[in-house]
Amino acid sequence: REVLQAYPLDDRLRSGEDIDLRLRLTGDHVPIGVSDNVTVRHRFAPGRPAAAEQWDDDGRGLGRVVRKHGWRALPNAFVPLAVGTIGIVAAPFRRGADGARYYMGYLFGNYRGLVRGLLDGRVPVNGLSARAAMTAAFVGLGLSVVAAAAIAVGIPVALLSSAVGEDPR
């Protein structure tokens, strides 16, 4: 309780406040950990529109955190790429084309939101490192979009080609 009073959640972020809190605590050398005794259940509204809104909110939060923390927060901007890539690659084996479409939406929604968060002037850019990190994020996002598109198109094409016995090249 004392830690949360000393380090209140930043309402400007709306999403990503947990990442912001972790960055602030570790930056001030406040010990943090994960409890084995607490379980939290996230509840989301059903349906694609609700999912799309959640992806956009999460991406915006990541962008705002990068604005606020600079380089220290930048690795978080690539979490959606990792999750989306794994989801797209695994989807044909687990959930079929609908699963792949879900993770493509996840990637698009998170990164569209991330760009919006990076541009959100309500959260100040804290110093040169944040400006440099934002620039790196935009470059990385461009590369991520290209990679995600290649994965999203390449995996299903390779699977379909191998299923009908054609050379995928």
Side-chain angles (χ1 to χ4, degrees):
R1 179 178 176 173
E2 291 85 21
V3 171
L4 283 176
Q5 287 176 336
Y7 295 86
L9 298 178
D10 187 341
D11 291 335
R12 297 172 301 180
L13 301 177
R14 292 197 58 229
S15 182
E17 68 282 356
D18 53 338
I19 298 168
D20 169 64
L21 178 60
R22 180 179 45 84
L23 289 169
R24 288 185 289 136
L25 292 173
T26 57
D28 287 349
H29 306 288
V30 176
I32 61 173
V34 177
S35 172
D36 292 329
N37 301 322
V38 176
T39 302
V40 176
R41 185 173 191 183
H42 287 182
R43 297 174 192 247
F44 300 104
R48 296 269 178 178
E53 185 177 337
Q54 183 65 48
W55 300 328
D56 186 68
D57 286 346
D58 289 347
R60 285 180 194 231
L62 284 173
R64 292 177 188 126
V65 169
V66 171
R67 281 183 70 90
K68 183 175 178 178
H69 291 280
W71 288 108
R72 292 187 319 140
L74 189 58
N76 295 289
F78 297 97
V79 170
L81 177 63
V83 171
T85 301
I86 291 167
I88 290 167
V89 170
F93 305 105
R94 299 177 71 199
R95 294 189 178 101
D98 194 47
R101 281 192 297 273
Y102 175 89
Y103 281 103
M104 285 185 266
Y106 168 88
L107 275 170
F108 175 77
N110 269 272
Y111 282 118
R112 180 185 62 190
L114 186 76
V115 168
R116 290 174 173 175
L118 287 169
L119 298 173
D120 187 346
R122 290 176 291 183
V123 176
V125 176
N126 289 326
L128 181 60
S129 70
R131 290 186 196 285
M134 286 174 56
T135 302
F138 278 115
V139 171
L141 290 174
L143 295 173
S144 298
V145 168
V146 170
I151 291 165
V153 171
I155 296 293
V157 167
L159 287 172
L160 288 173
S161 297
S162 64
V164 295
E166 295 176 10
D167 185 348
R169 290 178 275 158

